[in-house]
Amino acid sequence: MTGFSGKRGGAMPIRRIVTLSSLIAMELALSAIESLIPPFIPLPGIKLGLANIVTLTAFSLMPAGQVFMVVAVRLVLAGLVLGTFLVPAFWLSCCGGLLSFVVMALFTGRRGLSVLGVSLAGAAAHNTGQLLAAAFLLGNRAIFYYLPWLLLWSLPMGLFTGFSARAAIQALSRGGINDKI
């Protein structure tokens, strides 16, 4: 069996464990900070997506399987820490976050698609995933009339996280951390 280290039966190197832990902590901190920011748009579901800055940056550092671990652990810990684990908001966040991860994983590294394009696709997928979960939880498909508004707002939010992630990736590259960890 191949472990996260890529070696058959090998343990994960300490450097990788520290990197994964740091990324999870950063995503969790950004999620907590974002939960404290009052809504600046009077529409439900519109957020900056600060944790996605770290997710996008992580795709430049490690394989998608490890990025998934970062995202999944952050979603669960955020639900526990923020007290939303047993409420519908947690499930909306999880569905949005997981669909966003899948889309970003599929688009990362595609020729001609920058981190901005990946971020925009991830933002649109996050909003779509949240709406799918809401439709399921509410048992009402009429909620999909809200999708165009969410997709419209995913443009500035996706650009914000994309530009932020691009700046982080460039800073890491200047610091010598440009190869997969």
Side-chain angles (χ1 to χ4, degrees), residues 44-46 123 127-128 130-131 146-155:
I46 309 284
N127 289 334
T128 303
Q130 282 186 317
L131 219 55
Y146 188 49
L147 184 60
W149 290 106
L150 285 177
L151 292 177
L152 177 67
W153 279 102
S154 70
L155 293 172

Side-chain angles (χ1 to χ4, degrees), residues 130-181:
Q130 282 186 317
L131 219 55
L132 287 169
F136 176 78
L137 290 172
L138 296 173
N140 187 345
R141 291 183 294 176
I143 198 164
F144 284 107
Y145 289 113
Y146 188 49
L147 184 60
W149 290 106
L150 285 177
L151 292 177
L152 177 67
W153 279 102
S154 70
L155 293 172
M157 303 309 160
L159 286 173
F160 171 77
T161 56
F163 279 117
S164 300
R166 185 171 72 182
I169 292 165
Q170 289 170 347
L172 289 170
S173 182
R174 282 191 305 274
I177 305 174
N178 55 359
D179 295 328
K180 299 272 184 185
I181 292 177

Side-chain angles (χ1 to χ4, degrees), residues 30-39 47 82:
L30 289 172
S31 292
I33 289 168
E34 188 168 24
S35 75
L36 298 173
I37 299 172
K47 290 187 167 191
L82 300 175

